[in-house]
């Protein structure tokens, strides 16, 4: 049976129970220790992930801490993926990340060193001050049994917001404050539910100036040919070229996610029959219910528990 590991993004740290779900694993503790050492030696800062993950959710997700949250997610997911691989005795057929899940996905697949992932992410996100003044991200959910139509996507384009299609009925929309107000008005008219996701417009064109400001420095980032096949949820294609993988890292925060399309392609074109959600949150598993594919989706913690029963 062809298997893919999937790596969620920022949702992984929202709930305290999720944050601590895998903290006991030696593999996760190993990566926490490595990251703390890098932060100490490269940034001259004493830091404890154990203490960080005890902070209130809004503080963990604040602009000043968002890079550390990303590193925490990378540590947890890389450790869990390694544990799964070692327990099974072989790697998965494919890996795919959603947003910040791409970091652990690339490290686990051998396309990016863990040391570079930690340093580069903290270094380059030090220069994002001000992005919360531009706009934000909201989630928009259509009623059950309904999906977004072509006319809706045309309207979103005309309104100059950027739409990540996570499922046919759930969108992550990034844009400027004034444009998102129009989206929320349309949502009320259409009976859609909306929710705040981030207080800055991730996966939208409006972050591009911040990315271009570090583009010249980013040329020194090292990426490698992956040892496990990587599928991109941005392009919905396989990634094999280290240059393309590096370009995705640079531009990912400015590009929309096509999670639904990517999942369907993995199933229909690559023969995936089982997804293991590396987690620790269940966000990606929840999305599967609204994507038209016939596959098994299981949680990493459930798999590990079954192995040791």
């Amino acid at each position: 049976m062809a298997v893919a590991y999937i790596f969620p993004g920022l949702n992984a740290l929202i709930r305290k129970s999720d944050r601590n779900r895998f903290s006991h694993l030696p593999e996760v503790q190993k990566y926490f220790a490595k990251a703390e050492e890098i932060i100490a030696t490269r940034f001259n800062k004493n830091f404890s992930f154990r203490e960080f993950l005890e902070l209130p959710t809004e503080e963990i997700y604040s602009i000043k801490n968002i890079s550390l949250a990303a590193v925490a997610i990378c540590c947890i997911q890389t450790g869990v993926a390694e544990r799964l691989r070692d327990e099974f005795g072989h790697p998965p057929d494919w890996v795919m990340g959603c947003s910040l899940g791409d970091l652990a996905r690339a490290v686990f697949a051998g396309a990016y060193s863990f040391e570079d992932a930690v340093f580069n992410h903290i270094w380059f996100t030090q220069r994002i001050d001000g992005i919360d003044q531009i706009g934000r991200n909201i989630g928009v959910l259509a009623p059950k049994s309904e999906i977004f139509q072509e006319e809706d996507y045309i309207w979103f384009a005309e309104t100059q917001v950027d739409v990540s299609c996570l499922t046919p009925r759930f969108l992550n929309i990034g844009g400027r404050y004034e444009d998102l107000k129009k989206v929320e008005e349309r949502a009320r008219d259409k009976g859609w539910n909306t929710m705040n996701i981030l207080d800055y417009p991730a996966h939208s064109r409006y972050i591009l100036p911040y990315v271009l400001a570090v583009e010249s420095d980013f040329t020194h980032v090292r990426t490698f040919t992956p040892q496990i096949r990587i599928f991109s949820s941005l392009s919905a294609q396989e990634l094999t070229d280290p240059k393309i993988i590096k370009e995705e890292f640079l531009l990912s925060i400015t590009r929309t996610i096509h999670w639904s399309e990517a999942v369907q392609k993995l199933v229909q074109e690559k023969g995936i029959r089982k997804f293991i959600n590396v987690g620790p949150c269940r966000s990606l598993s929840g999305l599967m219910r609204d994507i038209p594919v016939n596959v098994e989706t299981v949680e990493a913690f459930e798999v590990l528990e079954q192995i040791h029963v």
Side-chain angles (χ1 to χ4, degrees):
M1 178 188 294
V3 174
Y5 290 3
I6 50 177
F7 298 72
L10 278 174
N11 286 341
L13 301 183
I14 290 177
R15 294 181 178 85
K16 204 168 195 178
S17 57
D18 290 337
R19 293 178 219 161
N20 297 316
R21 191 183 300 281
F22 295 116
S23 58
H24 65 285
L25 293 181
E27 294 86 350
V28 173
Q29 293 176 1
K30 173 188 72 175
Y31 280 111
F32 278 155
K34 279 186 178 181
E36 288 170 356
E37 183 180 355
I38 293 166
I39 292 168
T41 56
R42 303 293 296 273
F43 297 98
N44 195 29
K45 178 180 179 180
N46 290 323
F47 182 78
S48 165
F49 281 102
R50 181 181 61 80
E51 294 175 4
F52 179 70
L53 295 176
E54 292 297 319
L55 293 173
T57 301
E58 59 271 16
E59 193 167 346
I60 288 175
Y61 284 86
S62 66
I63 290 292
K64 68 175 181 177
N65 285 330
I66 201 67
S67 62
L68 296 169
V71 171
I73 292 167
C74 183
C75 291
I76 294 168
Q77 294 184 344
T78 306
V80 171
E82 286 189 1
R83 181 61 171 263
L84 287 168
R85 178 199 61 199
D86 294 345
E87 292 283 5
F88 287 129
H90 55 81
D93 299 283
W94 291 86
V95 292
M96 183 166 71
C98 187
S99 191
L100 275 175
D102 284 347
L103 207 58
R105 171 216 71 180
V107 170
F108 176 64
Y112 201 23
S113 78
F114 177 76
E115 292 75 11
D116 285 350
V118 172
F119 175 77
N120 290 334
H121 200 81
I122 295 174
W123 177 255
F124 287 114
T125 53
Q126 283 179 338
R127 288 174 263 184
I128 62 173
D129 282 349
I131 62 172
D132 54 339
Q133 305 302 311
I134 304 169
R136 59 193 176 103
N137 274 97
I138 63 172
V140 182
L141 179 68
K144 273 192 172 182
S145 76
E146 292 186 19
I147 63 173
F148 292 97
Q149 303 296 322
E150 183 63 27
E151 66 183 55
D152 297 316
Y153 291 106
I154 292 171
W155 184 88
F156 291 135
E158 291 172 347
T159 309
Q160 299 185 72
V161 293
D162 296 303
V163 177
S164 292
C165 181
L166 302 183
T167 79
R169 61 182 288 257
F170 183 57
L171 309 177
N172 181 329
I173 300 180
R176 297 171 295 192
Y177 288 113
E178 59 269 27
D179 296 328
L180 290 174
K181 286 180 182 177
K182 298 175 185 175
V183 174
E184 289 169 332
E185 290 170 2
R186 184 178 178 88
R188 284 192 289 272
D189 293 340
K190 291 273 192 173
W192 302 334
N193 288 324
T194 63
M195 62 210 77
N196 194 54
I197 294 180
L198 285 173
D199 292 325
Y200 54 91
H203 299 292
S204 83
R205 72 193 84 174
Y206 301 109
I207 291 186
L208 186 58
Y210 295 85
V211 170
L212 295 179
V214 301
E215 186 175 19
S216 59
D217 292 342
F218 208 80
T219 58
H220 302 294
V221 170
R222 300 174 302 167
T223 48
F224 310 95
T225 301
Q227 303 305 301
I228 302 170
R229 298 180 78 176
I230 293 176
F231 206 74
S232 168
S233 62
L234 299 174
S235 64
Q237 296 178 355
E238 181 175 6
L239 298 178
T240 56
D241 186 340
K243 291 181 180 179
I244 301 299
I245 293 171
K246 182 164 76 170
E247 182 181 297
E248 273 212 357
F249 277 133
L250 178 65
L251 297 176
S252 62
I253 199 168
T254 73
R255 295 172 60 183
T256 54
I257 303 166
H258 301 280
W259 186 257
S260 180
E261 179 186 357
V263 166
Q264 291 179 70
K265 280 191 173 183
L266 275 175
V267 174
Q268 296 164 4
E269 298 177 11
K270 309 302 180 183
I272 294 298
R273 292 294 172 263
K274 184 175 185 177
F275 289 95
I276 298 181
N277 177 32
V278 174
C281 68
R282 297 173 180 263
S283 57
L284 295 184
S285 304
L287 295 179
M288 289 296 184
R289 291 192 292 268
D290 288 326
I291 298 175
V293 289
N294 183 20
V295 291
E296 180 185 4
T297 305
V298 296
E299 306 299 324
F301 68 87
E302 293 174 343
V303 172
L304 294 175
E305 285 174 357
Q306 290 170 1
I307 289 173
H308 292 281
V309 168

